[in-house]
Amino acid sequence: MVRPYGKGHKRKKKAERYDKEEDEVEDKQVEEENTDDETEISAHDAEEKTEEEREELPELEGIPVGPSTQTAKKPGVIFVLEKASLEVAKVGKNYQILNSEEHANFLRRNNKNPADYRPDIIYQALLSILDSPLNKAGCLRAVYVKTDKGVLFEVKPYVRIPRTYKRFAGIMLQLLQKLSIAAVGKREKLLRVIKNPVTQHLPLNSRKIGFSHSSDKLVEMEKYVAGVGDDTDLVFVVGAMSHGKIECDYIDDFISVSEYPLSAAWCIARICEAVSKKWRVL
């Protein structure tokens, strides 16, 4: 009586295994179909999310400039902002970007001149560049910032700089600590620290123009840019410090655009206005 029971038990196991194999095959087919459906749905959702994120990014949302306006044949503008005052230090319990207004006593205690710590200059300069009609028309290729400590970082043309300095200082602190800042919900890096020198990031066929009030070559900016060929990229090197002169060995021409000393923001405004007229950007 034991033996027949054992055989029946074995046959039952085989039947169960056979059923399991059929179930597994059916489950795999269902999973593959579901995967295909989910892939189509996720791709559709990704497109919708991408459009929504472009509109809803909080402080670093992209400026709605279509990439199709920038072509390889069309020349562009690149800004290099030298000697930006963006120094990080631990004040109390927190790390902060040092500035002459809030950290004057701290700077004096450490034998530093508060007048040299002006991160608001680079803030105003970036606003002038990124908010210009020249950028919104798709003519801006890139912005490079080099700090007075030698750190070089890139700012994408479609970044929307925060409207308040306090928020901007927080973004700069995060950038210098983490070396990059990505868009919300995306992998694209809007700001990132890059390797020196800046010349390896500049186009080969470009004219590099430096600006300084101490230059003996005083020019009218509109006439100056009108004399540059239409097939040449323009690289403008502007100092982002409170006083002094930029000293760069890669500059082709040093010019002055006013008889009077100008702030970095005003100098950039004159540059953008002249180039806009040359390329008929209204």
Side-chain angles (χ1 to χ4, degrees):
M1 295 299 291
V2 176
R3 204 167 173 186
Y5 175 78
K7 287 184 179 179
H9 184 65
K10 287 181 180 178
R11 282 198 299 271
K12 187 176 181 180
K13 281 189 175 180
K14 288 181 180 178
E16 286 178 353
R17 289 176 183 173
Y18 179 76
D19 294 340
K20 286 181 180 178
E21 289 177 358
E22 286 183 344
D23 293 340
E24 288 177 357
V25 171
E26 291 177 357
D27 291 341
K28 286 181 180 179
Q29 291 176 351
V30 172
E31 286 177 1
E32 289 177 357
E33 292 176 359
N34 291 338
T35 303
D36 295 337
D37 294 339
E38 288 176 358
T39 304
E40 294 178 359
I41 294 171
S42 61
H44 180 69
D45 292 341
E47 293 178 358
E48 292 182 352
K49 287 182 180 178
T50 303
E51 294 178 357
E52 292 176 358
E53 286 168 353
R54 286 176 184 170
E55 298 176 356
E56 297 179 0
L57 288 179
E59 292 292 343
L60 290 176
E61 62 181 357
I63 296 176
V65 178
S68 60
T69 58
Q70 296 184 355
T71 59
K73 295 181 180 180
K74 185 179 178 181
V77 171
I78 297 172
F79 279 93
V80 180
L81 304 176
E82 290 275 352
K83 293 187 177 181
S85 177
L86 291 170
E87 184 174 338
V88 180
K90 191 174 183 180
V91 182
K93 296 182 180 180
N94 301 319
Y95 286 94
Q96 299 179 26
I97 297 288
L98 295 177
N99 66 80
S100 59
E101 184 177 358
E102 296 180 357
H103 308 114
N105 294 331
F106 174 84
L107 293 168
R108 292 191 187 99
R109 285 198 303 268
N110 289 275
N111 298 321
K112 296 181 179 181
N113 184 10
D116 295 333
Y117 293 83
R118 294 285 308 280
D120 58 296
I121 296 176
I122 184 65
Y123 172 57
Q124 294 169 4
L126 287 174
L127 283 177
S128 297
I129 296 171
L130 299 175
D131 286 352
S132 66
L134 196 65
N135 179 36
K136 294 179 180 181
C139 300
L140 182 65
R141 292 285 177 267
V143 180
Y144 298 103
V145 179
K146 189 172 184 179
T147 70
D148 52 2
K149 297 298 181 182
V151 180
L152 179 67
F153 63 88
E154 178 187 10
V155 181
K156 296 292 185 181
Y158 41 84
V159 171
R160 185 177 183 273
I161 292 296
R163 301 294 100 177
T164 63
Y165 168 75
K166 187 175 181 180
R167 175 63 176 152
F168 170 78
I171 293 296
M172 290 296 104
L173 178 63
Q174 183 181 351
L175 171 64
L176 296 174
Q177 289 180 331
K178 297 185 178 181
L179 305 183
S180 66
I181 295 178
V184 177
K186 299 180 183 179
R187 293 182 180 179
E188 184 181 8
K189 295 178 180 179
L190 301 178
L191 301 96
R192 63 189 180 103
V193 175
I194 56 178
K195 292 183 179 180
N196 280 294
V198 70
T199 50
Q200 68 179 335
H201 306 287
L202 302 178
L204 295 176
N205 184 28
S206 61
R207 184 172 180 81
K208 305 167 189 67
I209 307 163
F211 295 82
S212 176
H213 174 62
S214 60
S215 174
D216 296 330
K217 189 175 181 179
L218 179 63
V219 301
E220 188 176 342
M221 197 59 198
E222 292 181 16
K223 293 181 179 179
Y224 182 85
V225 296
V228 181
D230 293 333
D231 58 343
T232 304
D233 289 305
L234 298 173
V235 179
F236 298 115
V237 186
V238 181
M241 62 287 189
S242 57
H243 54 81
K245 178 183 177 182
I246 56 174
E247 297 177 0
C248 305
D249 54 0
Y250 60 86
I251 293 176
D252 299 323
D253 198 7
F254 250 115
I255 63 174
S256 175
V257 293
S258 176
E259 296 178 351
Y260 309 99
L262 299 178
S263 65
W266 256 108
C267 181
I268 290 167
R270 286 203 168 186
I271 295 169
C272 292
E273 183 66 21
V275 178
S276 296
K277 288 184 178 180
K278 173 182 172 65
W279 291 339
R280 297 180 180 179
V281 177
L282 301 177

